Amino acid sequence: MVATVANKIYEFEDFRLIPGEGLLLRNGTPISLNPKAFAVLVMLVENHGHLVSRSEILDAIWEGSFIEESAVSKAVWFVRNALGDTSKERFIATVPRRGYRFIAPVSIVNHSSGAFRLPLPPEAAEIGQQSISPSVLDDNDGGATPSATQIAKPATVPTDATAPGTLISGELPANAASINLSSFSGRRRWITYAGIAVFLLSVASIYLALNGRNLLSAGGATRIAVLPLKPLNEQSREPFFDLGLAEALILKLSSRKDLTVRSLSSVRVYKDIRADPLSVGKEQNVDYVLSSNYQIAGGRIRVTAQFLNVATGNVEETFQVDYPLDSLFAAQDGIANDIGNQVLARFGSDPGVFRTKRGTENQEAYRFYMMAMNLSEERGVQNLHKALAYLELAVDMDPNYALAWAGKAHLHRDIVGHSDPDVKGHYEKSMEAIRRALAIDPNLSDAYSALCNNKNRYEYDSVGAEAACKRALELDPDSPQAHKTYANFLYSRGRFDEAINHIRTAMDLQPVSYRNQQIYGLTLFYARRFEEAEAQFKRLLELNPNHNYINGQLVTILEAQGKESEACDYFVMSLMRSKADNGTIERFRTAYAESGWRGVTMERIKAEDKTRSFHLACLYARIGDKDKAFEYLGKAYLERSFMIPMIQVAPQLDSLRDDPRYGALVRRIEGG
């Protein structure tokens, strides 16, 4: 068999077939095919003129699944129907009792870019070129790490995991003047760490297993996931349409109360991943997926969208719209209304006019905000600092941008969680951002979530924290951030059942979130449900083996159960992942061999960063040195450690609770 070449384009009669992008076109118009039929067509065309047996098709497309050969006949029927081959002699000939042969003449076009361009619409032919000022802040990570798109894009015969998920929109002409819409476009690469992309997709794939839920529940609201739009040409990528148009479509479709539409925070992870939308639909636990691509050229944008039924795997409808780009916001709203109205019409809704609530009229501020939120989802201290820089630019351009101020408030707290020593500085900046956000919009849920976090983790004000969390939920009951923050507060107060309810709600609203799964595991740990917590963190470590925080937490959970040998194994594993020198690794192994887990703990105390006061207190408590444990807890309190609210629930501190100093410290903390 001939292997698929990712950038090959096949032409036969009026058709063009682009395997690497999951697209079949007839005179420039996309033709819908279910994934298996599309894969069969690719296999036959790639081997045009040669016999392809039914067994070869079954092995390649169904990959060993127990499927009768009639499935191949059915797929070929779909292909012939799509091609209009009613005579069965025009494109695909049947070789009785053996297989099929693609008999039409086929030519191969090898575009170095891998992109295929449709004719420019006549009404767009005279549109001139438009530009926006060059970049003021480069978002390139500076490395040569391949993008998630490069890693994840399939280079073999498409199966259910490739088509129709890589649908390309109808392209504008190759000689059309490309519009430079983004301050960040040009030659810069949009790099997303491949490891982040892969493990986030893995999180989604086990979401249902972690929660023990059915894939699609019977009855209730119809569920839809709107995926971030994919640019046809990476060089002209535009955040307005990657994420902004996805958000506009989400809000548009959410106007109908019997539709449950996944939030942007739930689908943001797919921005840089060429993911199969049907797989995404299963991961997101939805009934339908709206998957779209766009191209920008000649002062216009063209969007092609597919509406896919997750249960059947069929593309139920394809939409294509074309808009001028005199105003990016107007184009975004217009496209969202056009496509949204067509989707809603399927559910009996009359057309309506909708305008996205962006919180700003400044296009550049909005672009910076969208980029910042994308980076903040990826986590990592470098990404958080870069996201913060983007939000600084956003509020510089529009000082009345409440959402951007709230985003800043959250980022300052997140950076503290990555062991930034300037705890007070980040707290003050976070509180100032909250004040600015609420002065602009007193009903902004995200600002109250940030306030809850600050009051709980810095001010140690449990009453004020809970009031802020409840206000956030009252303002937006469907906010994953509000439920996540409240769950964090609740488990720090020992209210574990309530915490689990809220973090499970956050997971329902935002299925693809490693952080949500992590908070769920922490809640189980603090609730002393150690076996469940162990299973949860082992699953998370399988998803991201290099996540040292997860590895470290697993060590603590195993220690709490007395599984010291296994805890030592995971601890050494963590050292190896951190590229510790052989001498260090051997020192810990020797300590365990000679003195057991106590010896390992003593070595950890020697090696520990002395600024991590709360962590040191836990280590000293483990070996029974109460004086040192209380000394470091006192330091952690004075340093306003964000871990101090955990003092009443942390199992590592159980050995201290009968000491009078413990009660005195708790009263001191509760007093602020």
Side-chain angles (χ1 to χ4, degrees), residues 237-253:
R237 188 169 212 170
E238 172 48 57
F240 270 91
F241 303 115
D242 285 23
L243 297 171
L245 184 49
E247 182 178 44
L249 282 163
I250 288 166
L251 294 172
K252 170 73 178 181
L253 298 178

Side-chain angles (χ1 to χ4, degrees), residues 157-219:
V157 177
T159 65
D160 281 345
T162 61
T166 47
L167 165 73
I168 290 187
S169 68
E171 282 200 4
L172 303 176
N175 60 357
S178 294
I179 182 168
N180 180 17
L181 288 173
S182 173
S183 297
F184 300 90
S185 61
R187 294 184 178 274
R188 134 196 129 273
R189 292 165 297 173
W190 289 66
I191 297 178
T192 300
Y193 290 109
I196 293 174
V198 171
F199 99 74
L200 283 173
L201 276 180
S202 301
V203 172
S205 68
I206 68 160
Y207 163 70
L208 298 174
L210 291 176
N211 291 284
R213 307 193 179 189
N214 293 327
L215 178 62
L216 293 175
S217 59

Side-chain angles (χ1 to χ4, degrees), residues 434-450:
I434 291 168
R435 285 190 287 269
R436 296 292 296 269
L438 292 177
I440 299 162
D441 183 356
N443 296 315
L444 187 60
S445 174
D446 275 5
Y448 280 101
S449 288

Side-chain angles (χ1 to χ4, degrees), residues 280-296:
V280 172
K282 293 173 183 177
E283 292 163 358
Q284 289 283 334
N285 194 25
V286 296
D287 304 292
Y288 295 94
V289 172
L290 186 65
S291 176
S292 311
N293 287 279
Y294 68 91
Q295 187 199 7
I296 295 167

Side-chain angles (χ1 to χ4, degrees), residues 226 228 242-244 246-247 250 262-269 370:
V226 178
D242 285 23
L243 297 171
E247 182 178 44
I250 288 166
R262 290 296 184 215
S263 67
L264 184 64
S265 57
S266 294
V267 299
R268 192 189 301 273
V269 65
M370 297 302 292

Side-chain angles (χ1 to χ4, degrees), residues 419-436:
S419 299
D420 191 298
D422 187 14
V423 177
K424 182 179 179 182
H426 283 294
Y427 162 75
E428 290 175 346
K429 290 174 182 177
S430 180
M431 290 301 294
E432 174 59 21
I434 291 168
R435 285 190 287 269
R436 296 292 296 269

